[in-house]
Amino acid sequence: MQQLPLLNYQLSRLKNENPTQYRFIGSIESVSDDGLLWVRSENLTVAVSMTRACIFLAPPEGSEDGSLQRLSWKHFPLVLEGTKVFIGGSYCNKDGRNVFCSTKEQPLVVILFEGDEQHLVYRVIAAARQPNEYWNGLTPYSLVLGVVSELLIAAFYSGRPALRMTVLAALTGVFIPLMPLLPPGVLLTSFYRRWWRRGRLYRVYRDLLEYILSGESSVIAGYQDLPIFAWEIKKAGLDENHIKIYKRRSRMLEIYAISAAGFGILCNIFVVLFVLQWLFL
């Protein structure tokens, strides 16, 4: 998207039968009831069709753990006028009017942001990684389903003394979602969070260096003014060897983090199992 030509007044007046790829940066002027977002720059105002558009909110400048937030069109009436926005995608002609629109092959990308637009691409790359890649929208439902399943197993076998250990194991499984927060495993969970956060930063540095060294970056000068990762990029000296270093450090910290979390949960499993066995003697 960063390499797409910037839409200006002259390009906006062209009559193209086929959609043309452009990018545009401006401020929100208004939101209409017919699904159009009006965005203005210094010398141009464009209409953006938000149908099937991919909408994201960039984290604030200087945020270390921020990530891109996916938004829906229904949240846009709450967006304040004047909010900066990046638009990348097809510029189409619909009903005799040129608008940004999504196509079957490529949806429109809309990013709301604050701060300096010059470094937006670096901020987006850094924020594209979630704080925890192992947590997604299905995780809470999976945990609830697991807890309910363990309770059903415990209830089904509770009347059979010969299967007492099966019942205790099922009841122990009910507490697994809470085990990272229970002592003594909570201490190892704190190490997990620290190592995982540091490993994520190394993956961010790696992504940024790969982007800069790929030649696609148009903002090499002034990279020392970037937020959170400024000193790391400066220290790296834009060297390809640092990409390998960051990959190695990231893998090492990921192994440390997963091992700490797993060992903490294992310790708590034995603790909970011992307590339940003592209660149900």
Side-chain angles (χ1 to χ4, degrees), residues 92-150:
C92 319
N93 187 279
K94 289 187 175 181
D95 301 326
R97 179 173 58 183
N98 289 332
V99 297
F100 276 101
C101 63
S102 298
T103 62
K104 294 181 179 180
E105 297 77 16
Q106 186 176 15
L108 196 66
V109 175
V110 178
I111 302 176
L112 304 177
F113 68 98
E114 297 177 352
D116 188 0
E117 63 188 50
Q118 184 182 20
H119 298 142
L120 176 62
V121 60
Y122 297 96
R123 292 167 54 194
V124 170
I125 292 175
R129 290 194 171 273
Q130 298 297 321
N132 192 332
E133 289 90 341
Y134 288 103
W135 185 278
N136 54 53
L138 295 178
T139 303
Y141 303 101
S142 300
L143 291 176
V144 172
L145 181 61
V147 169
V148 173
S149 300
E150 296 292 348

Side-chain angles (χ1 to χ4, degrees), residues 164 168 172 267-281:
R164 177 172 173 272
L168 292 178
T172 301
C267 289
N268 281 343
I269 286 177
F270 287 112
V271 171
V272 173
L273 185 61
F274 174 79
V275 172
L276 291 176
Q277 190 174 13
W278 178 73
L279 290 175
F280 291 98
L281 281 177

Side-chain angles (χ1 to χ4, degrees), residues 49-192:
S49 175
M50 303 302 290
T51 305
R52 295 187 288 112
C54 296
I55 312 168
F56 300 94
L57 175 63
E61 281 188 307
S63 174
E64 289 196 11
D65 297 325
S67 60
L68 288 176
Q69 298 181 32
R70 187 73 180 263
L71 299 179
S72 61
W73 171 239
K74 65 181 181 181
H75 291 143
F76 256 78
L78 302 178
V79 176
L80 297 178
E81 180 182 348
T83 301
K84 291 184 178 180
V85 59
F86 170 91
I87 302 163
S90 300
Y91 196 59
C92 319
N93 187 279
K94 289 187 175 181
D95 301 326
R97 179 173 58 183
N98 289 332
V99 297
F100 276 101
C101 63
S102 298
T103 62
K104 294 181 179 180
E105 297 77 16
Q106 186 176 15
L108 196 66
V109 175
V110 178
I111 302 176
L112 304 177
F113 68 98
E114 297 177 352
D116 188 0
E117 63 188 50
Q118 184 182 20
H119 298 142
L120 176 62
V121 60
Y122 297 96
R123 292 167 54 194
V124 170
I125 292 175
R129 290 194 171 273
Q130 298 297 321
N132 192 332
E133 289 90 341
Y134 288 103
W135 185 278
N136 54 53
L138 295 178
T139 303
Y141 303 101
S142 300
L143 291 176
V144 172
L145 181 61
V147 169
V148 173
S149 300
E150 296 292 348
L151 287 174
L152 291 176
I153 292 173
F156 183 78
Y157 291 111
S158 60
R160 305 181 185 183
L163 299 176
R164 177 172 173 272
M165 286 305 300
T166 302
V167 175
L168 292 178
L171 290 176
T172 301
V174 171
F175 292 93
I176 284 182
L178 299 177
M179 285 183 180
L181 306 177
L182 298 176
V186 66
L187 177 62
L188 293 171
T189 300
S190 65
F191 286 112
Y192 157 80

